[in-house]
Structures are given as C-alpha cells and as structure tokens.
Amino acid sequence: MLWVWIVLQALTLLGVANYLYNLPADRKEETPNGAVVILSVRDDWDGAPDLIARLKAQSAPHRLLLATSGACPAARLLAAREAAWVQLVSAGVAQDEGQKVHKVRAALRALRPTDGYLIFIDADIAPPQRLIGRLLFPLVRGKADIVTGYRLLLPGRGWMTPLVGAVEMQLATMPRAPDATMPWGGAMAMPRAVADRLDLDTVLAGRLSDDMVIGLAGWRAKLRMRPVRDLLVASPLEGDFAPLWTFGVRQYRHIVTNSPGMWALATLGVAIQSFGWVWALGWGGWSAVAIGYGAAWGRALLRWRILRAVLEPGQMMAARRSLYWDALAPFVPLWAHLAVQIQAAMSNSIRWGGWTYRVERGRVTMMQPAPK
C-alpha cells in the first residue's frame, strides 16, 4: 500500500508541474474588430466600477453587451453614460430556465451583424488587461473553436474562504487537455460562426448552467475547446460557512444534473485521494504521513510559482491564502471536496440568484422564488 500511496502523491505533484510547464511564456494577443463582451448582471448589481475600469483598459477593442432583466438601475446608468460602448438588453424574468441563461439568450438575439467574436464573462471577476486579446488569439489564428480561462479565487480573511480557495485551486491547476477542456462561463470565447453552428440560443433554451451546456454541446460537435492556461482569472471571495458551502454544492450539482458520468469521474478521483489520507493517518505510519506532506508542500511551491506567473501582485498575495490549507492540513480540502461532491448528488434542486430550480437531465423542470 505504501508504494500505491507514493505513486498517487507523485501523480498529484506531476499534475501541478505539468500545468506550470505548459504555461505559455510568450503570451500573444490578437486585436481584431468585431469582439463583443457579453455580461449578464442581476438587478442588484452595483455597477462594478473595478470590473468596468478593467474592461475599458483591455488591449483589444470590443463593445460591451449588458444583459439584465430590465430592472437594474446601475446597468441603465452605465448604458446612458457609455452609450457608444455599452448596449443594454432587457430580457425580462425567466419562467422556465435559469435567469442567467435567459439573459444570455436575449443577448445572443441582440447581436449585430458586425459582431464576429463572442466573449462571455462573469460579473465577479477582476480580469487582467490581456484577457480579451489572449482569448481571441487562438480563435483568430484558427487554433481553437472555443477557448476558456478558469477562475482563481482570492480568499478573504478567516478560515473558510481559504478552504474554498484550496479546493478550487485543486481544480484550477489540474492538467488541461489541449483540445477538449470544458469551458468556464466566467471567461469564455468563440467565433460568431461557432455560436451559429451550435445554435446557442436553441441549445441554451430551458437550461440552468450556460457553460456546462455549451461545453457538452461542443464535445458532441467535436469542437476544439482549448484552455488559455495563463488566464487564471482572479475572483474575490468573501462570505461565511453556510453560503460558501452552498456555493460549492451548487457547482457540483450543475455537473451531476448535466453529466452524471463527469461527476462520477471527478468524485472517484477525489475519493481515492481522500481515502488514501485516511489510510496514511490511521495505518500508514510516519513515513506515509511524511510522503503526503512532502507532496503537499511540493504542490504548494509549484502553485505559488503559477500564482506569481499569472496574477497581479495584489491578487497574488490574496490568492496565496488558498495554499495554507494544502500545506498545513492537505487532507482537509480533500475531505471537504468529497463531502461537497456527495451532497451535490443527493438532490436535483438548485438554489441560485434568488430562485430555486429543479433540474432533470440538464433541463429546468420547475422553478420558484427562493424563500428569503
């Protein structure tokens, strides 16, 4: 069993090393005309001045398509102030699909003939200046059909946010398949022709998770879905135990309700590592524990190098908090990760954005306002 444990820990270490090794040294960008950034916001959106400033500072030209339900004062104010840059779309309130999906579909129907590249982002990110140019580079060069970055959480103070960050760091620094990576809706792009080929408006109808649906549709169509590895996009994280735990469960419930096989594969990987630590702590002895901690410290050092390579200095110091758990108690993020995965599979009810949805085979079968 000790040799199995050594191999398992070596594989986890090599996985992070693979991510670091494949970080592009020459971060080329493309700046074509016709890029449109699609941003869906809730009614209580505050205008996100930091995000808007970061978008305006992008190296690639673009326009902003802001999708709302029609009742967001901050969105109306921004559209009035930046009329030459911002297009406002009022989608209304969804009755049979996710509110975000409903807004994205309205944005797709509002595209202009000159819109050649679609870039989807989330409202809670702090993107680097290179975001749009880097997403466009593989598309313009014909190297990919869909490209994606991934979320990198910036934990706040306390113990829970770094724990969530540690779990997310495991996912962020996994090896990526060069042409078959599931996209993340917080930083995803595709040419207009690919969106038309997939018939995104129809594909998204009645759904709750935009990126899961787009990714699965891309797989079925055998599209090249490529990661941009240096785009680990900063996303600040605050909150107490209950909402953060719910966030984790919701993320995996999106997966299990759309692709049970993908959930099972992910859960199996985490379960093997989790039970490996149970054996190491209970029966493996000091040598097994030392091997586990040695691999954990090695992963932390490699991830620190990744953070230094992809983030701004201030973001880097905040993201560093995600490394503490893996260095001090590497079994805790794994056990928490597994618990979240198991809880996610116990129901098909998803509470998100003030609504409760029931999802079956990826489709919304019931929705109602969530109790306050």
Side-chain angles (χ1 to χ4, degrees), residues 2-16:
L2 182 63
W3 281 106
V4 174
W5 178 241
I6 292 172
V7 170
L8 179 62
Q9 291 304 306
L11 288 175
T12 64
L13 190 58
L14 288 173
V16 182

Side-chain angles (χ1 to χ4, degrees), residues 32-36 62-63 87 110-118 192:
N33 293 322
V36 56
H62 64 282
R63 69 186 191 90
Q87 177 187 358
L111 291 173
R112 297 171 182 172
T114 54
D115 294 329
Y117 296 95
L118 314 184
R192 173 79 171 273

